[in-house]
Amino acid sequence: MTSQQQHGVGTVDGYRPLIPQEKVETVLELRKILSGGGAPDEAATTVPFLGLTLTVPAQVMTPCPVSPILGGAIFAEVEEGDRVLDMGTGSGSLAIIAATKASEVLAVDINPHAVEAVRANAERNGVGDRVEARLSDVFGSVEGTFDLIIFNPPFQWFAARDVADSATTDESYSALTRFFREAREHLADGGRMMIFFSTMGDVDYLQKLIEDEGFRHDVVFRTTRPVADVPVEFSCHRLS
């Protein structure tokens, strides 16, 4: 049995990691470290985010230290009057930032706790009339086209332990692959996408998906931060 099999790496749609084996081992080790923190705190937390106040349930991922950089990039990208889709919205931080300029934002997530958090956070921050939160598995409950699609996907490819863990891991990149296969049907003419990713996942597979679907690709930013004392590169990609 390989180390990947021992850690539950799936093979949906024939996925195999494209990054070198030494990088796979680093990802596996980070997964092990970050999964070993004991029982999660059941209390919601209230956090500041670029002038917003967000309440984040225990079952929803709290914005990470790099999230404000991503939020700033999203704010710069949104144009007045845009119709925006925030895929995998989590606490709604990016949806709410987008709603300060957009005409309407649809925020979707597979986690029902996230959907409820977005509704409450949008009201709390004065954009409840422009943000709709909806339960959706990728584009399953999404209709129409958007000027801007935002996706901060799970970086890793393992099976999720529970709905909260689905924020960080997507078995065999099934959701990420479906996203790229279906995204063009939901982009308006001249539409663009902002995708966040990191070397905690298979960046070579992300690049393959971008190339396979023929998107024009620019890197908005790259930054390296330590995660469990391991340098991790985070990047934001603008696709059109």
Side-chain angles (χ1 to χ4, degrees):
M1 179 179 290
T2 68
S3 60
Q4 293 175 43
Q5 290 170 333
Q6 290 171 345
H7 287 79
V9 176
T11 58
V12 173
D13 297 327
Y15 168 76
R16 297 290 191 284
L18 299 183
I19 52 176
Q21 182 60 31
E22 63 269 22
K23 293 186 177 180
V24 171
E25 295 299 332
T26 299
V27 172
L28 291 169
E29 186 61 25
L30 281 171
R31 173 73 173 165
K32 181 179 177 182
I33 292 169
L34 297 175
S35 299
D41 189 347
E42 293 299 322
T45 57
T46 299
V47 297
F49 183 81
L50 296 178
L52 307 175
T53 299
L54 304 174
T55 297
V56 186
Q59 304 91 341
V60 176
M61 177 176 281
T62 302
C64 73
V66 181
S67 296
I69 303 175
L70 177 60
I74 297 302
F75 181 80
E77 180 64 31
V78 176
E79 298 178 3
E80 298 288 341
D82 272 352
R83 185 169 192 245
V84 176
L85 171 64
D86 182 22
M87 180 74 66
T89 187
S91 64
S93 58
L94 301 179
I96 296 168
I97 287 291
T100 62
K101 293 166 73 176
S103 61
E104 59 178 299
V105 179
L106 175 61
V108 301
D109 204 291
I110 199 171
N111 183 345
H113 302 284
V115 173
E116 291 302 320
V118 174
R119 290 171 181 155
N121 284 325
E123 290 292 341
R124 182 177 294 109
N125 289 280
V127 293
D129 60 332
R130 293 195 296 282
V131 176
E132 177 188 356
R134 187 184 299 173
L135 195 68
S136 185
D137 184 358
V138 194
F139 291 104
S141 298
V142 175
E143 305 91 25
T145 60
F146 300 84
D147 304 294
L148 176 64
I149 298 176
I150 303 163
F151 193 19
N152 180 358
F155 297 150
Q156 300 187 332
W157 62 84
F158 315 105
R161 296 182 300 271
D162 51 36
V163 70
D165 198 34
S166 66
T168 62
T169 189
D170 164 21
E171 185 173 4
S172 295
Y173 288 132
S174 175
L176 186 66
T177 303
R178 282 183 289 138
F179 173 85
F180 273 92
R181 298 290 184 258
E182 300 170 14
R184 279 202 185 276
E185 339 174 346
H186 295 279
L187 272 179
D189 291 343
R192 61 264 187 230
M193 303 198 300
M194 296 282 276
I195 311 295
F196 190 54
F197 213 72
S198 90
T199 53
M200 290 178 69
D202 188 344
V203 292
D204 290 353
Y205 186 66
L206 174 70
Q207 184 64 40
K208 181 180 186 301
L209 291 174
I210 292 171
E211 292 174 357
D212 285 352
E213 297 305 319
F215 285 106
R216 179 179 175 182
H217 177 207
D218 299 298
V219 177
V220 178
F221 70 78
R222 296 187 195 274
T223 184
T224 299
R225 303 293 175 91
V227 177
D229 296 324
V230 175
V232 172
E233 182 182 270
F234 297 87
S235 53
C236 179
H237 306 260
R238 185 184 189 275
L239 309 182
S240 59

